[in-house]
Amino acid sequence: SRVWRAVVQSNENKRTAYTCVVKYWIKVFDENNNESWESNHIEKESNNSTEMEVKNYNKIYGDLANLVGRKKLNSRWCVILPFFEPIPKNRRNQETLKKIEKMLIQKFYKKE
């Protein structure tokens, strides 16, 4: 896969857009047989792979699951994910890292 930052039109309001990440499915070569896949096989494989990936992201993102989805670009399915601005290096201190760690544990870690 390759990942790009993109701007996507909102489904609710056609005059607004949001920044997202597009994860483009690029596997086109069968390494076992050393040959390229046909376009219909690429489409089928990208569909299956990205569908499973979106289901997994929906479990992880919870409240942000509405920002996860799939779109078809150039006969291949892509995964659309929310974009998170990186923390500037001058703000990467212990206090900030502790806040992030706390949020990640509360949001993503579930005790069984």
Side-chain angles (χ1 to χ4, degrees):
S1 297
R2 295 277 192 255
V3 179
W4 288 276
R5 182 177 176 180
V7 177
V8 177
Q9 187 177 29
S10 170
N11 287 333
E12 293 81 36
N13 183 347
K14 300 299 181 193
R15 293 184 175 196
T16 61
Y18 63 94
T19 302
C20 66
V21 173
V22 176
K23 187 174 179 187
Y24 191 72
W25 201 86
I26 61 166
K27 188 172 182 179
V28 296
F29 193 76
D30 184 349
E31 294 173 0
N32 296 330
N33 296 328
N34 205 26
E35 59 186 34
S36 296
W37 286 347
E38 298 290 327
S39 60
N40 62 342
H41 183 76
I42 293 168
E43 184 176 348
K44 179 183 172 192
E45 289 296 318
S46 70
N47 180 41
N48 294 338
S49 179
T50 57
E51 185 174 31
M52 174 91 57
E53 194 169 352
V54 166
K55 286 179 184 177
N56 289 333
Y57 278 123
N58 282 331
K59 292 175 190 174
I60 293 169
Y61 280 119
D63 296 343
L64 298 175
N66 63 325
L67 299 176
V68 176
R70 294 186 322 141
K71 295 286 181 189
K72 196 173 190 182
L73 298 172
N74 300 327
S75 299
R76 296 180 197 171
W77 287 95
C78 301
V79 177
I80 310 297
L81 299 164
F83 173 77
F84 298 99
E85 192 71 47
I87 298 170
K89 286 187 179 182
N90 63 349
R91 291 191 50 218
R92 293 182 195 172
N93 54 45
Q94 284 302 109
E95 182 182 341
T96 303
L97 293 175
K98 289 288 184 192
K99 288 178 183 177
I100 293 169
E101 181 182 44
K102 181 180 176 183
M103 187 277 305
L104 289 173
I105 289 171
Q106 288 174 349
K107 187 74 178 162
F108 297 115
Y109 180 72
K110 294 180 182 177
K111 291 184 178 181
E112 298 296 327

